Amino acid sequence: MNDELLVTMIRLRDGREACVRPLTSEDAEILGDFFCGLSEKTRSTYGPHPFGRDTAAELCAAVSDQRTVRFVAVVDDETPRAEIIAYMILSRQIWDGDRNRYGETVPWETTACLAPVVADVHQGQGLGSAMGRHVLACARAQGLSHVILMGGVMDENPRARRVYEKLGFEFARSFETEAGGRRRLNHDMVVTL
């Protein structure tokens, strides 16, 4: 896919613009800042990988993996350096747990999974919806037919569920997980492109 099609500008509610683009090998420092700046509450709702500078460096070193595109929303205004304010994974590498729950209800050869996270100060401002629309458009342009949520969405995160519904995701099934001795209700959601 043409890299230019992966890039777009979105206007934030505060009037600034953010560039949504794929993560690059040069983003390790600002991705590390983003990860380290997330609250414990936000971290607890997102599980594809650990948060920290080491993870940021590893992810930026692996940007050439064609199976996964890691999108970032970057604000680069009057501040000393650019700032990542949102991060979304679009991956053709589907976790076994997701595959097992969905079974044959989606065509795996044209299905990807999505995992988004938005910086705490930007949550509830439409950034996730705007960025999600772009990422799903990129998925469609890559010939994908379905996108599922990586690991589902927690029942206790209604804000995220509303964003997914705005993006066209539909409920597929509920399931439980256990973490830290606590059982959690989760929901699988899928969008047909």
Side-chain angles (χ1 to χ4, degrees):
M1 172 175 228
N2 183 340
D3 285 347
E4 290 177 11
L5 297 176
L6 299 175
V7 179
T8 194
M9 299 299 289
I10 56 176
R11 184 160 305 278
L12 305 176
R13 288 197 180 144
D14 65 8
R16 295 183 300 162
E17 284 194 327
C19 178
V20 177
R21 60 167 174 77
L23 186 71
T24 70
S25 58
E26 291 85 35
D27 290 329
E29 190 171 346
I30 60 174
L31 184 61
D33 291 346
F34 173 76
F35 286 163
C36 291
L38 294 172
S39 70
E40 192 56 43
K41 181 180 179 189
T42 296
R43 290 171 185 237
S44 74
T45 63
Y46 185 82
H49 53 66
F51 296 100
R53 297 195 182 283
D54 289 344
T55 300
E58 291 169 14
L59 295 174
C60 289
V63 295
S64 62
D65 182 348
Q66 298 297 310
R67 298 167 296 176
T68 301
V69 180
R70 297 175 190 280
F71 289 88
V72 290
V74 180
V75 175
D76 192 4
D77 48 19
E78 307 297 314
T79 57
R81 69 173 179 208
E83 173 188 14
I84 293 175
I85 59 173
Y87 166 76
M88 290 188 182
I89 301 170
L90 180 66
S91 181
R92 300 290 298 273
Q93 295 179 275
I94 312 287
W95 291 351
D96 288 341
D98 290 338
R99 282 184 184 272
N100 292 338
R101 286 192 314 278
Y102 281 91
E104 298 303 317
T105 62
V106 293
W108 293 113
E109 62 280 354
T110 58
T111 296
C113 59
L114 176 74
V117 63
V118 175
D120 293 83
V121 298
H122 293 284
Q123 292 176 10
Q125 299 180 27
L127 175 59
S129 296
M131 188 173 176
R133 282 189 296 276
H134 173 68
V135 172
L136 291 177
C138 291
R140 189 177 303 108
Q142 291 177 16
L144 297 173
S145 64
H146 295 78
V147 175
I148 64 172
L149 298 179
M150 186 183 287
V153 59
M154 291 180 191
D155 185 68
E156 60 197 56
N157 193 353
R159 179 187 280 175
R161 288 196 324 267
R162 282 191 300 274
V163 170
Y164 300 137
E165 288 167 355
K166 283 182 193 175
L167 294 172
F169 282 84
E170 296 178 349
F171 173 82
R173 79 197 39 78
S174 295
F175 64 99
E176 287 189 341
T177 58
E178 187 171 330
R182 183 173 163 217
R183 296 204 58 78
R184 290 186 164 161
L185 180 64
N186 301 278
H187 307 290
D188 279 329
M189 297 181 80
V190 59
V191 63
T192 301
L193 303 175

